[in-house]
Amino acid sequence: MLNAKVHDLLNQQINKEFYSAYLYLDFSNYFKAAGLDGFANWYMVQAQEERDHAMLFYTYLQNENATVTLEAIGKPDKVFDAHMDVLRAGLAHEEYVTASINDIYAAAYDVRDFRTMQFLDWFVKEQGEEETNANDMITKMELFGSDPRGLYLLNQELAARVYTAPSLVL
Ligand code: MG
C-alpha cells in the first residue's frame, strides 16, 4: 500500500502533467496565431507527450490499487509580448516540474518505497531531456531568431518534430 504522502504527491502530479499539456497547447496556439506553424507543431507534440506523462501517473496509481482523484486543470493565463518570452516560460515550467518530480522521489525515498522510486527513474531522466530541449530552443532563438531568414529556417526545423509514444510502458 502506498504511503499517504507519496500517494497524494503522485495524484497531484497527474494534474501537473495535464496542466503542462494545457500550457503547451496554449503555446502552440500562440505560435499558430503568429504564423509560425513549425513552432506550433513543436509545442503540439510537446502537449501530446505531457498527456502521456499524466496517463503514466494515472495508470501507476491504478496498478497500485490506489485511488485516483482528478482535480480541475488550471487556466494558462500568461499573455506573451515576444516569442522568446514563450520559450523562457517553457524552460521555467520544466524546471518547476523537475522540482516536483524530485519532491515525489524524496518522499518515496523517505519511506523506502523502492517501486515508486523505480517508476520515477524514467521521469528523472525525462526531465533532464525536457530542460535540455527548452534550453536548446532558447539558444537557437537567440542565435537565429532576430534574422527573418534564420527564423524561417528554425520554424522549418521545428515543423519536422513528430510525436512518438513514451518509452515507458506500464
Ligand atoms: Mg511532463
Side-chain angles (χ1 to χ4, degrees), residues 78-157:
K78 286 200 180 68
V79 178
F80 299 106
D81 298 321
H83 305 332
M84 186 62 103
D85 293 346
V86 182
L87 274 46
R88 291 199 193 285
L91 176 61
H93 183 69
E94 287 306 329
E95 288 170 347
Y96 161 77
V97 173
T98 296
S100 181
I101 298 287
N102 288 349
D103 285 345
I104 310 173
Y105 208 107
Y109 180 84
D110 284 346
V111 296
R112 298 169 58 86
D113 179 354
F114 302 115
R115 190 155 51 206
T116 295
M117 287 160 66
Q118 191 177 56
F119 164 69
L120 289 172
D121 280 338
W122 185 86
F123 285 92
V124 171
K125 185 165 179 285
E126 175 73 9
Q127 281 312 120
E129 291 170 12
E130 300 286 35
E131 288 185 33
T132 297
N133 288 341
N135 269 308
D136 286 353
M137 290 279 273
I138 290 169
T139 301
K140 286 178 181 175
M141 195 63 149
E142 281 171 348
L143 286 170
F144 313 119
S146 57
D147 169 47
R149 285 165 299 183
L151 186 62
Y152 179 79
L153 290 171
L154 183 53
N155 185 62
Q156 277 196 325
E157 180 191 318

Side-chain angles (χ1 to χ4, degrees), residues 13 16-18 20-21 24 46 49-54 57 93-94 97 101 122-123 126-127 130:
Q13 195 64 32
K16 289 177 183 177
E17 300 292 347
F18 274 125
S20 299
Y24 291 130
Q46 191 64 29
E49 286 195 358
E50 298 302 344
R51 181 189 173 279
D52 289 336
H53 296 167
F57 283 96
H93 183 69
E94 287 306 329
V97 173
I101 298 287
W122 185 86
F123 285 92
E126 175 73 9
Q127 281 312 120
E130 300 286 35

